[in-house]
Amino acid sequence: MTTLELSPTPDSWLTVCEEARLTPGRGVTALLPDGRQAAVFKDRSGRTYAIDNRDPFTGAQVLARGLVGSAGGRPFVASPLLKQRFDLETGRCLDDAEVTVTVYPVRTVEAGS
């Protein structure tokens, strides 16, 4: 079994779920120990990403429900509310360079590792 973990702080890792439970192109939400939420995605090539789930334009916890795509070779999620796109690798808003969301490191861990 392979699990997906994310790092909410520089010195900790949090198990999110079994990697096989992620559907390419769709997001899931992970509750972090401090009460924040992370939006976790697997793209169609199998790469995984985690960003803050809070849409900075509306304050709603919705980015995990956004549409995953790519623009100029950059993976993004488009907010389901106002459609701003957020780069899944950097957190930068592709539609407003002054706005960003937090990006969390992710890793996969094999059982018994």
Side-chain angles (χ1 to χ4, degrees):
M1 173 178 69
T2 303
T3 58
L4 180 74
E5 296 181 342
L6 68 82
S7 179
T9 63
D11 59 348
S12 68
W13 288 93
L14 173 72
T15 299
V16 175
C17 65
E18 292 179 25
E19 185 184 27
R21 296 191 59 122
L22 295 174
T23 302
R26 304 197 69 172
V28 298
T29 303
L31 182 62
L32 304 180
D34 65 2
R36 290 177 298 149
Q37 296 178 17
V40 181
F41 302 93
K42 180 189 247 184
D43 68 16
R44 285 172 175 63
S45 69
R47 290 199 55 201
T48 53
Y49 309 91
I51 62 172
D52 194 348
N53 193 40
R54 183 180 174 277
D55 180 336
F57 291 95
T58 65
Q61 301 283 347
V62 296
L63 293 182
R65 296 192 318 238
L67 299 173
V68 177
S70 65
R74 304 293 306 174
F76 71 80
V77 63
S79 172
L81 298 178
L82 301 177
K83 309 301 184 238
Q84 284 90 356
R85 299 168 300 154
F86 297 92
D87 187 306
L88 291 171
E89 293 176 336
T90 66
R92 185 176 62 86
C93 179
L94 301 178
D95 304 299
D96 184 341
E98 306 232 345
V99 178
T100 61
V101 295
T102 301
V103 173
Y104 300 102
V106 294
R107 69 182 182 188
T108 54
V109 178
E110 294 292 328
S113 298

